[in-house]
Amino acid sequence: MVLGMRGLLALGMLLVVGCSDSTEPLPVSDSSVPSCTITATITADTGQRTITGVGNAACDHPATISIEVCTQYAPAGAPTFTDIMCTSSSLSSTMSHAVSNLSACLIGTDKSYRAQVNVKIDGVEQPQKLSATVACD
């Protein structure tokens, strides 16, 4: 088969169009970035009049996990909670970490208690988690 000038030009144009000078790297997924599950729980021991807030982080890759757990209270019907006590801990090169915070229930009744959990994974702040609320009456 013999190509005329138009055929060669058309072929050449196709080759030019098909080439790329891009030096941008292709996107690569980074499987070393951990995916983590974070939970906040609270339990009340009405006999001992204590509450225990727990923050837990479980990751699929080793990471530096920093957790702060604050036990909080609010008078019945109040929209905002106030910290009773906060405690924190950090572990490096771990896939899971849990922090407990044992606090005394406050004097009086009609208060709600919860745990507020703040977590950083490899220095990156994660969305805050709140436990359900409990009473300590």
Side-chain angles (χ1 to χ4, degrees):
M1 177 176 183
V2 177
L3 293 175
M5 185 59 103
R6 285 189 178 182
L8 288 175
L9 286 176
L11 183 60
M13 290 302 289
L14 284 175
L15 290 175
V16 171
V17 171
C19 293
S20 174
D21 290 333
S22 177
T23 57
E24 293 182 33
L26 294 174
V28 176
S29 64
D30 187 356
S31 62
S32 66
V33 175
S35 174
C36 304
T37 301
I38 299 166
T39 58
T41 58
I42 193 161
T43 55
D45 182 337
T46 56
Q48 295 294 314
R49 300 230 2 111
T50 60
I51 51 171
T52 303
V54 178
N56 187 45
C59 302
D60 63 354
H61 286 70
T64 297
I65 303 174
S66 301
I67 301 177
E68 176 188 57
V69 179
C70 298
T71 50
Q72 301 179 320
Y73 82 98
T80 58
F81 281 76
T82 303
D83 290 347
I84 299 171
M85 182 173 70
C86 296
T87 189
S88 61
S89 176
S90 184
L91 287 178
S92 298
S93 300
T94 186
M95 291 178 65
S96 64
H97 187 32
V99 175
S100 295
N101 182 344
L102 177 67
S103 301
C105 297
L106 301 176
I107 296 174
T109 59
D110 293 333
K111 292 181 179 63
S112 295
Y113 297 88
R114 73 179 183 191
Q116 175 184 293
V117 176
N118 300 304
V119 175
K120 288 184 182 179
I121 305 295
D122 289 335
V124 178
E125 207 168 300
Q126 304 300 304
Q128 184 179 81
K129 294 289 183 175
L130 299 173
S131 70
T133 59
V134 296
C136 193
D137 303 325

